[in-house]
Structures are given as C-alpha cells and as structure tokens.
Amino acid sequence: MKLEGIHHITAITGHAQANLDFYAGVLGLRLVKKTVNQDDPGVYHLFYADEDGSPGSDLTFFEYPNAAPGRAGAGMVHRVCWRVASPDALDFWERRLAGRGVAVARTGGGRDGGDGGRGASGRDDGGDSGGGGGLIFTDPEGLAHELSVSDAPDEPLPASTPEIPADLALLGFDGVRVHSSQPHASTQTLGEVLGFTAQDDDGLWQARGRRRGSFYAYDPAPEGKGRQGAGTVHHVAFASEVADHEDWQQRLAQAGLRPTPVIDRFYFRSIYFREPSGVLMEIATLGPGFAVDEDPERLGERLSLPPAFEPMRERIESILTPLASPRAGATG
Ligand code: ZN
C-alpha cells in the first residue's frame, strides 16, 4: 500500500477574482471546479489543475473575502514546487512573470539528474543564476512557488491555454517545502506509517507509488509563529488508491495519529490528520474526480454543489462574489 504522491494542495485566498486571474490567467492552470468549502459553504472552494483535473496537479483555494495576510511558520507548507520540462520553460516563465510585474528569482543551478531528489536543491535559495536550477516567485498574496526542470518518469500534467505552449506549461507538482522546528519528530510517521522514503538525513522525503511521486522537504522554521491567512497553505493531500483508503484510516489510527473518519467530499474521499511536525495532511482517493457532476469539456464554468448542498444553491449563490473566467474571455 503506497501513496501516489501529492493529490492536491489547499491554500487560502482573500480575493477569489485576483486568485483566478493569477492561477488561470497568468500560470495557465485550468479552473476545474468552482464549488464551496463543504465545512463552511458560504465561501468558495476553487480548484485549479491540468486539463483533466488530475490528482498531482490540483491546487485549491478557500476564499475568505479580505482575509488578513498569513505567514508560513513551523508546521506549515511554505512553498509549492512544480515541474516544467526544460530550461527553455524556465526562461519562458521568467519572462512571462516578469512581464506581468511578478518578481522572480533564479535558484540553484548545476543540478545532477538524480530522480526525485531534484527539488531538494531548492534548499539553496542563493539566487545564483547559473543554468538549470529553478525559478521562485510568489502569488499576489505571498504564496511561494518554485518551478524546476524535472526528469521524473511521471505522466506530465499540463493544462491547455492558447497563450502557453504545452511544452512550456506547468506539468504538475514536484513537491512541497515545509517549515519545521523538529523534523526528526516526523521520521517514524513519514517512514513507517506513510511509507515515504528518506532521500537524505536532512529532512528530504519522497512519497512515491506505482504511478506518481512527490517530494516532501523540511526547512528550518523562521522566528516567530506562523499564522494561517491569505497566501498560506492550509493542508497538503496525498493520493490513495480508492481500494486502500479505509486501510489508511486504520493504519493512521493504529499509529496514534488520530485521523478523522473517512469523509465523502463527493469528488474524492478524505481523511485528515496532523503529522508530528504540525502539518495538516490529508489522504484523498484518486477517484471519482471532477467529471462526476460536470461535462469534462465544461469543468468549473458554473458553481458545482454536492447534492447535500444543492437545496441551498440560491442562498449560497447570493453570498458568493461572481467570478469572470479569464479562460472564457480568451476563447471568446
Ligand atoms: Zn483537501
């Protein structure tokens, strides 16, 4: 029983329209589901991903309108790392982001071709602008992203937009970087319970199943406490085969991690728990996926509500801010 890398990453925004403009309009991801936070149905839950809404490429946001800016501290994901195909793609993104007023920095360089451990070199934020390496930037609310050239064997997961050629697009997650003041407290949970593989003694792990893998890397925590708010990650979900999901719940419970029961999120099923470094984790099933209630051609165009919330549609729609899709504008 193995986890198939990252399933999705969920963060917080205070401005859904600006968030949509950045992730769909600038980064070229596809809005694959526009729904509400099932634990708080008066707020949006926006899902961005590749063209098919695949696990492994799915970045989601809860909108808390005008939320105060947060700050990533110990026990929080502080950077979302994506794969691109080539150094040309890094050059493309450096130009595209800079051209839209986004500050970008080059990192690392001269990486070797080791599988999986690649993201670890993001540890060096020296801004060295040699060949290779990665590109770091933040979204308008301060959430940090890194793009790296990947030679991972996994299926690339691009979205398709007229402005971004497929060979230059983001190709799904490479991993996440996490702040921890006590990474060794998590060793047993990551290695023995979750089945991650240690890539070094310094807090770099790999979660790899039969189809995909992702890295999970610890960095020292900054001074001061973190604060959940706009521009911070709320949780990271790892992917489980549907058939293994109940067994994961039992395994987490037996390990004393106090997981939630399995919760049906309609698009997938979820279990939540906190790993010892403090990061809120989820294990989410690989199905049924976002086409369960929408035509795959029209994902994310209207507000999707799981059946339990459908009777509240009128009230929910009156609370939510209307959103203009950059994609709809681009394709006329
Ligand atoms: Zn989640």
Side-chain angles (χ1 to χ4, degrees), residues 8-86:
H8 65 270
I9 298 166
T10 293
I12 294 171
T13 178
H15 299 279
Q17 184 67 58
N19 185 261
L20 178 62
D21 291 344
F22 185 78
Y23 286 97
V26 178
L27 294 189
L29 301 174
R30 182 176 185 192
L31 179 67
V32 294
K33 191 64 62 181
K34 183 166 63 178
T35 183
V36 292
N37 181 345
Q38 294 180 25
D39 298 322
D40 189 357
V43 307
Y44 271 125
H45 195 179
L46 304 177
F47 293 70
Y48 305 100
D50 69 339
E51 205 59 21
D52 300 324
S54 307
S57 65
D58 182 7
L59 178 63
T60 94
F61 287 86
F62 297 135
E63 186 205 26
Y64 289 95
N66 303 307
R71 177 176 183 272
M76 293 167 73
V77 172
H78 70 88
R79 191 185 300 164
V80 176
C81 303
W82 302 83
R83 295 173 181 153
V84 295
S86 66

Side-chain angles (χ1 to χ4, degrees), residues 7-10 45 47 60 62 234-237 265 268 270 272 282 284:
H7 182 289
H8 65 270
I9 298 166
T10 293
H45 195 179
F47 293 70
T60 94
F62 297 135
H234 185 265
H235 64 269
V236 55
R265 295 301 191 189
F268 43 81
S270 300
Y272 302 86
E282 174 183 348

